[in-house]
Structure formats: structure tokens, C-alpha cells
Amino acid sequence: MKKVSVIGAGFAGLTVSLRLAQKGFEVDLYESSSRVGGLLGTDITDYGIAERAANALIRTEKADALFKELGLTPDLPLHSSKKRFLFRETPRAWPLNFLETLGFIARLLPKALRGKKNFKPHKGETLQAWGQRNIGPQATRFILGPAMQGIYGNDISGLSASLILGPLFSKKKKDRYKGLLTSPHGMQDLVDHLEVKLKEMGVKIHLNASANPKSLSGPVVIATSAEAASRLLTDSHASVAALLKQIRMSSLMSVTLFFNKAQESFKGFGCLIPRGYGLKSLGVLMNSYIFQGRNKTYNETWILGGVEEDALMELPDQEILKLLAEERHRILGHKESLVDYRINRWKKALPYYNLQLEETLKTIGQMAPTPDLYLHGNYLGGIGLSKILERSEMIAEEIANQYG
Ligand SMILES: Cc1cc2nc3c(=O)[nH]c(=O)nc-3n(C[C@H](O)[C@H](O)[C@H](O)COP(=O)(O)OP(=O)(O)OC[C@H]3O[C@@H](n4cnc5c(N)ncnc54)[C@H](O)[C@@H]3O)c2cc1C
């Protein structure tokens, strides 16, 4: 049986190992920390669960299939989560006023009637410039900005429109989007099920272990962050390593707050917060209104961070809680007392989807193929778990075609 080595056991490494094992490969999975899952994980508290990073996957057919084969009954969002808020002085379902809405429609409609291709991003265009060109300044600031920053953790003035919106214009058949899904006990449960399945299939998981790609024979999948991949490849693939080193990493913090009383003024998925208000928070997830079983004690997860916010990661817990109490009061108008909290600081954990990354990925794509080396992870065009799963399947297919 042909052997494949996978380095990094986050969601990317776990799922590519699963797909490779299913294709009959002997898989060795190397993880430098003492557990698998990478960014994914769930803290269990006396008041309910707190997700460390992702709280759900986009529900595609591939994600549904993964849950089914792992024997996990997915938790689907509650009806209350259909309502979403955008902050403009206060949380609003629609943040534009009457005249702005008319302006937005007047700008959008003629373009939309001329076809989808009119919205295609230009090369080297930021999301902010794309928004100004296509939907106007107000919709860019109050809708596009907060929505994209909620996913990519950064202000849209630096984000690449091609990287983020480009896939919507590709001719490739797209997996249909059907909302979200998670595991009833949180994302750690998904990680645990993946680990059990891999072991059942004979995948050898090496914890507290890193492998030098140079010393491995056969195909190697590097499924770490871009930064770690650059370090791993310095000896064996210096030119790829140099390109990966250019990818800027961005810090993000998730803070789950458990309250003595639920806020009932805004019942929904959460609220996204545009820049320009002097607020550090990027958005809040109202967990108890999103998934069932998350209301043991009413709780919310606040997300903060970005490439310019490394200093925020160094603040002690009490200062973060004070900052959030002030911002929560300003945003939601509430001041309930806290009964517990969990803070996860992810320093330089996510790739910054900026114009530099657009250039770097283009250059990597134009390089001669590197035999036996496959790059995987959230910096390669999809930051979310469903995109990572899609890439896992694609890489396993490529390796099977080449070596199977
Ligand atoms: C706060 C937050 C909220 C998020 N919310 C969502 C969400 O709701 N939905 C969604 O789809 N996505 C979300 N994401 C994004 C998503 O969680 C990540 O993109 C995804 O988990 C990344 O998985 P990965 O396997 O690519 O990387 P990682 O999880 O970073 O895994 C990489 C692994 O490689 C290991 N490693 C590093 N170096 C080495 C080495 N030399 N040798 C061996 N192993 C090594 C690391 O220890 C780690 O385990 C969120 C992210 C954050 C931070």
C-alpha cells in the first residue's frame, strides 16, 4: 500500500487523512502539539459550552456527507437565528435609510440586469473598492464591510475582492449552500469523531511530533498554517517557503460571555459591527439563539482582532472584560452581570486575505509542480471549514490519480 505523510492535524489535516485512508493509502499524520483539531475545540463549563474558534460549518453536501459517515447527527440552526443584525447606532435588520436604499437599488439593478459578470472583481482590487464600484459607499460601509470582516477578521480596505468573491464567478460546479451545521456537543465532538474514525481506518497519528518533509518518502501533504508551512519547507523547497513567508498572519480573539439573565431585545444570529465607531468588536454571536442546547445559561461570543490588533491579544482578562462590558452596553444597550467567561487568544493564527496573498497564490499557482508536495490549509483560497473539506477531497483525488 502506498504511504502518504500528512503534517498538521487541524481540520485540514484530519479530513485529508480521512479521504486518503478511504482511498486505500497508508497515512501517517504528524501533529506538533499534544492534541488534534488545531484551532477547533470546545470548552465545557458549568454554564454551557464555549467554542474556541469556529462554531459551525457552512452546510454543503460534502459537509452533510462527512457528518453522516462519522455517525454524527448534525445540529441545525434554530428559527430564531434567521434574524441577523448590523450595527448602525443600534443593531438593525437593515442598516440603510430609505434614500440610501433607493440609491443602492438604483446602482445595483441596472448592473444585475446586464448579468452577473458585471460584478466580477478586478485583479488587485480591494473589497472596499469593489463595494464602492458596485453597491455604493453606504452599503459598502454598513453591509459588505461588517459581513466580510466577520468572516475574514479584517477591515475590507485591505481584503482582496478576487480571492474572496472570485470563486462565485468561476464556472466550477459549486456545492449548494444550505445554511449551517455543527455537532450537538460542539466542534470538539466533530474533532473527536474524526480522530476515532481515522484510528479505525488505521491512520497512525503521531502527537508532539513534527516531521521534516525532506526526510519523508512518498507524497507529503503540509496541512499547517502558512507560517508553519514556510518554516517546514525552508530546507527542501526554499522558493515555496520564501513565498509562504510573505503571507501575513492576523490575530483573532473569541470571548464567550455567560450572563445571569438573557438579553431579549435582539434575538437572532448575532450582530456585525462596521469600522468607524471606534469599537474593537468585529461582531457578536448570540449562541443561545443560534443552536438548541446552548441556552443552559444565556451566552454570547464576541470576536475581536485583525492584523493591526496584536496588542489587544496581550491584554489581561479583566481589561478585555471591561472593554467588552462597555462595548456591549453601547451596541446592545445591555448590562447584565457575568457568571462566567472563556477567552481564546489566537495570535497570528489566520491568514490575512489581502492583495499580497492574491499575488502570492498566483505566483505559487504559476510555479512548476513540486513532485510529491501538496499544500493544504486555510490560506489557499478558503478560510472556512467547508472550503477546507472541499480541498481535502480534491487533494486526495489528485494523489490517488498520481499514485493510486
Ligand atoms: C475565532 C475564530 C472563529 C472562526 N469561526 C469559523 C466558523 O464559524 N466557521 C468556519 O468554517 N471557520 C471558522 N474559523 C476558521 C477555521 O476555524 C479555520 O480556518 C480552520 O480551523 C483552520 O484549520 P487548519 O487545519 O487549516 O489549520 P489549524 O487549525 O491551524 O491546524 C494546523 C495544525 O498544524 C499543526 N502544526 C503546526 N506546525 C506543525 C509542524 N511543524 N508539524 C506538525 N504539526 C504542525 C498545528 O499545531 C495545528 O494543529 C474561525 C477561526 C477563528 C480563529
Side-chain angles (χ1 to χ4, degrees):
M1 206 184 339
K2 186 83 188 174
K3 198 169 159 157
V4 183
S5 306
V6 177
I7 304 183
F11 188 71
L14 291 169
T15 49
V16 77
S17 298
L18 175 65
R19 294 293 177 245
L20 285 163
Q22 286 168 332
K23 289 188 184 292
F25 288 96
E26 189 187 324
V27 183
D28 274 276
L29 174 57
Y30 299 91
E31 166 55 46
S32 58
S33 76
S34 57
R35 62 175 282 278
V36 301
L39 295 176
L40 301 184
T42 310
D43 292 322
I44 312 285
T45 81
D46 290 345
Y47 302 96
I49 66 169
E51 293 293 7
R52 289 186 202 153
N55 76 332
L57 287 79
I58 288 183
R59 189 173 170 218
T60 56
E61 277 159 30
K62 286 183 170 50
D64 267 344
L66 177 70
F67 272 63
K68 200 166 171 200
E69 64 195 279
L70 296 178
L72 264 173
T73 308
D75 218 352
L76 303 179
L78 295 165
H79 186 72
S80 49
S81 74
K82 289 203 184 314
K83 205 156 186 183
R84 287 164 191 247
F85 300 98
L86 292 149
F87 183 74
R88 185 170 183 181
E89 279 42 86
T90 182
R92 299 167 196 260
W94 179 251
L96 304 187
N97 65 31
F98 181 68
L99 281 179
E100 287 164 354
T101 304
L102 282 185
F104 170 67
I105 295 171
R107 191 184 270 262
L108 202 66
L109 202 61
K111 274 195 157 198
L113 289 174
R114 276 185 273 130
K116 188 175 155 186
K117 65 176 186 323
N118 286 296
F119 294 100
K120 206 169 167 189
H122 299 160
K123 282 196 184 72
E125 185 176 38
T126 64
L127 259 185
Q128 170 128 335
W130 180 91
Q132 307 270 10
R133 187 165 64 80
N134 289 292
I135 59 174
Q138 299 300 340
T140 300
R141 173 161 183 225
F142 293 109
I143 302 172
L144 181 71
M148 291 300 157
Q149 149 206 299
I151 301 171
Y152 293 90
N154 276 293
D155 190 295
I156 58 166
S157 59
L159 296 176
S160 152
S162 281
L163 280 183
I164 293 168
L165 303 178
L168 299 174
F169 298 87
S170 90
K171 294 216 167 62
K172 217 177 104 198
K173 188 176 166 275
K174 290 173 207 62
D175 208 347
R176 215 155 44 87
Y177 167 79
K178 298 182 284 176
L180 296 173
L181 85 171
T182 187
S183 158
H185 305 291
M187 299 302 274
Q188 183 61 46
D189 199 22
L190 171 62
V191 170
D192 292 343
H193 276 73
L194 276 165
E195 188 175 5
V196 167
K197 184 81 175 175
L198 290 182
K199 286 183 176 160
E200 273 171 19
M201 301 205 62
V203 173
K204 290 191 210 94
I205 303 179
H206 310 269
L207 295 177
N208 302 306
S210 189
N212 184 344
K214 211 172 164 181
S215 60
L216 298 167
S217 59
V220 178
V221 183
I222 310 276
T224 65
S225 68
E227 208 174 32
S230 163
R231 281 194 301 271
L232 278 163
L233 292 170
T234 308
D235 290 347
S236 56
H237 299 79
S239 49
V240 182
L243 282 169
L244 295 178
K245 205 173 170 192
Q246 295 173 357
I247 298 175
R248 266 183 90 185
M249 302 297 288
S250 166
S251 299
L252 219 55
M253 186 189 293
S254 74
V255 185
T256 299
L257 305 175
F258 295 91
F259 294 97
N260 63 352
K261 194 170 159 282
Q263 70 76 18
E264 297 187 342
S265 317
F266 304 101
K267 291 185 173 181
F269 191 88
C271 182
L272 291 160
I273 301 140
R275 300 302 77 197
Y277 282 100
L279 294 160
K280 292 283 181 196
S281 308
L282 301 175
V284 50
L285 295 165
M286 297 164 181
N287 303 317
S288 302
Y289 297 131
I290 305 178
F291 292 114
Q292 59 184 346
R294 309 280 165 107
N295 58 352
K296 188 170 168 190
T297 311
Y298 175 79
N299 62 91
E300 296 162 359
T301 299
W302 290 73
I303 306 289
L304 306 98
V307 272
E308 305 296 342
E309 297 292 352
D310 285 351
L312 200 61
M313 305 293 134
E314 305 303 330
L315 289 183
D317 285 11
Q318 287 315 311
E319 281 190 40
I320 293 169
L321 295 179
K322 187 167 165 270
L323 172 88
L324 280 180
E326 285 164 13
E327 295 206 350
R328 184 173 188 264
H329 185 232
R330 204 170 141 199
I331 294 163
L332 301 180
H334 278 261
K335 266 188 175 173
E336 288 82 7
S337 311
L338 271 190
V339 292
D340 204 356
Y341 70 91
R342 288 292 179 277
I343 299 180
N344 286 284
R345 296 169 177 82
W346 297 110
K347 292 183 198 167
K348 307 248 180 246
L350 284 181
Y352 181 27
Y353 268 67
N354 62 353
L355 298 180
Q356 172 66 55
L357 181 62
E358 183 184 327
E359 270 305 303
T360 304
L361 294 186
K362 195 169 125 210
T363 313
I364 292 179
Q366 287 164 347
M367 284 171 87
T370 37
D372 287 352
L373 177 71
Y374 297 84
L375 293 178
H376 193 7
N378 58 8
Y379 60 96
L380 292 154
I383 208 164
L385 301 168
S386 292
K387 280 280 173 207
I388 292 176
L389 177 62
E390 209 177 300
R391 190 170 178 89
S392 286
E393 303 202 351
M394 196 188 83
I395 292 175
E397 193 67 42
E398 261 180 55
I399 296 179
N401 290 338
Q402 188 89 11
Y403 305 90

